[in-house]
């Protein structure tokens, strides 16, 4: 993994996706993002917006996450928003909107590290799309969760393992060990 060419992508940590299965994530991701930014690395946040007439409404009869406060980034991560490299609004599972593709290309990021909600859908789809675009992909297994519960989170990791490979799944301590200490080198 090339930390110098990497961005941390925080997927859909929004009020509408927080429940008993995901409420542990915001403080952990806030700490991770703080350490990542202290190492001079970019953070990108995504925000899912369910537009009227979306496939989610038409085919799944799912009408949540249309407006604030459900669509808002959770308060624990709100301080990241002003200093984020970008906040990407997306109409579906993947973070790869045309704007995101242009951003990643312009920034020259080769590696993308994913965390957030939900392991089995938006994190998984974004990671697989990044993989298929030729990026080195890492999913932080302990910094993502499914709002549908731990069994669905585990199923998402099984599918991720199959689609992006075992090296694509790491933990937050594994990632942080690759970052330079302030004034140091990776692993110092």
């Amino acid at each position: 993994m090339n930390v110098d060419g990497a961005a941390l992508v925080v997927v859909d940590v929004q009020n509408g996706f927080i429940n008993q299965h995901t409420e542990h994530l915001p403080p952990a991701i806030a700490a991770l993002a703080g350490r990542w930014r202290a190492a001079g690395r970019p953070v990108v946040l995504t925000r899912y917006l369910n537009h009227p007439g979306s496939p989610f409404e038409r085919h799944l009869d799912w009408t949540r996450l249309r407006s604030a406060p459900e669509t808002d980034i959770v308060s624990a991560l709100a301080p990241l928003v002003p200093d984020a490299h970008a906040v990407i609004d997306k109409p579906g599972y993947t973070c790869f909107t045309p704007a995101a593709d242009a951003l990643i290309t312009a920034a020259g990021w080769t590696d993308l590290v994913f965390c957030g909600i939900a392991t089995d859908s938006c994190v998984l789809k974004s990671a697989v799309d990044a993989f298929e675009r030729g990026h080195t992909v890492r999913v932080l297994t302990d910094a993502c969760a499914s709002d549908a519960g731990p069994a669905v989170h585990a199923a998402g990791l099984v599918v991720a393992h199959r689609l992006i490979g075992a090296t694509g799944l790491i933990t937050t301590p594994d990632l942080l060990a690759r970052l330079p200490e302030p004034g140091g080198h990776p692993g110092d």
Side-chain angles (χ1 to χ4, degrees):
M1 179 176 162
N2 173 18
V3 173
D4 290 335
L8 176 67
V9 182
V10 180
V11 178
D12 301 352
V13 185
Q14 298 167 254
N15 290 330
F17 291 125
I18 299 297
N19 64 21
Q20 69 274 17
H21 305 299
T22 58
E23 63 190 0
H24 67 284
L25 282 181
I29 291 174
L32 163 65
R35 178 72 173 81
W36 186 259
R37 286 179 44 211
R41 301 306 320 136
V43 174
V44 174
L45 297 128
T46 73
R47 184 172 49 201
Y48 170 71
L49 304 173
N50 189 16
H51 301 288
S54 74
F56 301 95
E57 178 186 78
R58 291 189 334 265
H59 302 296
L60 303 176
D61 198 29
W62 194 73
T63 58
R64 294 189 46 230
L65 279 103
R66 286 207 172 145
S67 60
E70 276 195 318
T71 56
D72 292 341
I73 302 290
V74 297
S75 60
L77 298 183
L80 295 175
V81 172
D83 296 325
H85 194 86
V87 176
I88 298 169
D89 289 335
K90 60 191 194 64
Y93 295 120
T94 188
C95 71
F96 282 93
T97 65
D101 275 325
L103 169 73
I104 292 164
T105 300
W109 298 327
T110 57
D111 295 43
L112 298 172
V113 180
F114 293 95
C115 63
I117 304 168
T119 313
D120 55 297
S121 55
C122 296
V123 172
L124 176 64
K125 178 74 164 105
S126 295
V128 170
D129 286 352
F131 176 86
E132 289 184 339
R133 283 169 167 77
H135 300 288
T136 299
V137 176
R138 299 293 183 262
V139 172
L140 298 174
T141 61
D142 58 339
C144 58
S146 174
D147 53 332
V152 178
H153 164 75
L157 293 177
V158 168
V159 174
H161 181 274
R162 182 168 169 79
L163 297 179
I164 65 171
T167 61
L169 303 177
I170 65 172
T171 64
T172 300
D174 293 334
L175 176 68
L176 294 178
R178 297 170 191 220
L179 289 178
E181 292 297 324
H185 300 287
D188 283 354

